[in-house]
């Protein structure tokens, strides 16, 4: 599968800042020009994708609901 074939409109290019690995799930913090995006993915995926701090990645965000609050 190529990146062009993924149907996700919200894409954030960034660099992995930190990975907090757990036995099953891991948190991956990605620094983007708009701020930090955090993803919770399987630890197996972290290893298979060879994710490490400093690596450039694209965070794809797909949601069925987006909430907005006033400031």
């Amino acid at each position: 599968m190529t990146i062009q074939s993924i149907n996700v409109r919200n894409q954030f290019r960034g660099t992995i800042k930190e990975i907090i690995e757990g036995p099953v799930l891991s948190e991956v913090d990605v620094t983007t020009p708009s701020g930090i995006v955090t993803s919770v993915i399987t630890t197996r995926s972290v290893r298979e994708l060879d994710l490490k701090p400093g690596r450039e990645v694209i965070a794809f965000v797909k949601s069925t609901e987006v909430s907005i609050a006033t400031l």
Side-chain angles (χ1 to χ4, degrees), residues 3-48:
I3 291 177
Q4 291 81 11
S5 66
I6 296 174
N7 184 20
V8 179
R9 304 230 186 254
N10 300 309
Q11 303 177 15
F12 301 93
R13 183 178 294 269
T15 304
I16 296 177
K17 176 182 178 185
E18 179 181 21
I19 299 173
I20 301 172
E21 283 195 26
V24 178
L25 296 175
S26 295
E27 292 180 39
V28 180
D29 290 340
V30 179
T31 302
T32 73
S34 299
I36 294 177
V37 175
T38 301
S39 176
V40 177
I41 63 174
T42 63
T43 300
R44 180 179 180 176
S45 292
V46 169
R47 293 179 183 144
E48 287 178 0

